[in-house]
Amino acid sequence: MVRYRRNLIPGGTFFFTATLNDRRSSALADHVDKLRAAFWAARNERPFTIDAIVVLPDHLHVIMTLPDNDADFSGRWRRIKSSFTHQLAVSGAAISRNRRGEFALWQRRFWEHTIRDDADFERCANYIHFNPVKHGLVASPIDWPHSSLHRYVRAGLLPADWGGLGEINGNFGERGD
């Protein structure tokens, strides 16, 4: 049996995809306030930087940079997922359970890619910002409200009409996309 090994680099920058079990769910976009609170709680306990992010109905992509002396992104994801799940459960949202009775909101794992250089960062950030168009949710990336593209535009890093034409290619861990 092959054992998957994560690339643990203290201070590293990583691209992640985290997905709900039910790909038809819209829980992430419907409860984006609770997801933001989950990220805030995780960042408050164990700092990290969100370099780029998009939250879609059933999955999210994020580029995260860890502190120089820390490589534990798995612990951060565990905290984000459990906090979001707990907040949904407390709010009365229906969450399915597995055969052991545990909440089964998220897929157990997440997909991660170590950012290698500036070109790789740009390619992944572009993919993140274009993802709502790729999934047919909006015609232009700026039209999706749950994206760091808005922060990039405010900072003058990208124009508001970025991604209005063309296509961003690449497979970043999404099944069947």
Side-chain angles (χ1 to χ4, degrees):
M1 181 171 145
V2 176
R3 226 183 120 156
Y4 181 76
R5 297 175 64 179
R6 300 232 182 244
N7 194 16
L8 302 175
I9 301 172
T13 300
F14 304 90
F15 172 97
F16 296 100
T17 299
T19 306
L20 298 179
N21 262 335
D22 182 359
R23 293 301 301 257
R24 297 163 300 168
S25 175
S26 60
L28 295 176
D30 291 347
H31 302 283
V32 74
D33 57 327
K34 290 175 178 50
L35 185 61
R36 282 187 183 113
F39 268 88
W40 184 88
R43 287 176 69 190
N44 193 42
E45 292 172 8
R46 308 259 321 272
F48 59 92
T49 302
I50 297 173
D51 300 298
I53 189 167
V54 68
V55 176
L56 290 100
D58 65 333
H59 70 284
L60 63 89
H61 301 290
V62 64
I63 297 175
M64 175 189 299
T65 299
L66 301 179
D68 289 338
N69 60 346
D70 194 340
D72 183 23
F73 51 73
S74 291
R76 287 166 171 86
W77 276 112
R78 194 169 27 261
R79 177 67 167 114
I80 291 164
K81 287 178 171 185
S82 66
S83 178
F84 180 70
T85 302
H86 176 76
Q87 289 181 63
L88 280 185
V90 167
S91 74
I95 303 173
S96 63
R97 293 182 181 262
N98 63 22
R99 61 180 172 248
R100 293 185 303 230
E102 302 165 333
F103 288 119
L105 180 65
W106 296 92
Q107 289 183 2
R108 280 202 171 274
R109 299 184 184 204
F110 52 83
W111 189 85
E112 129 261 341
H113 162 77
T114 304
I115 302 293
R116 295 180 300 269
D117 54 30
D118 289 343
D120 193 26
F121 181 96
E122 184 176 355
R123 182 177 54 83
C124 290
N126 287 346
Y127 181 85
I128 285 171
H129 294 143
F130 196 77
N131 209 248
V133 175
K134 177 184 178 217
H135 287 282
L137 299 169
V138 291
S140 175
I142 199 69
D143 295 334
W144 188 251
H146 314 303
S147 171
S148 59
L149 176 61
H150 300 281
R151 180 172 32 116
Y152 279 54
V153 169
R154 282 191 307 273
L157 299 172
L158 291 173
D161 63 352
W162 178 88
L165 300 172
E167 184 175 317
I168 307 296
N169 294 310
N171 181 348
F172 295 84
E174 297 176 18
R175 296 183 325 205
D177 292 341

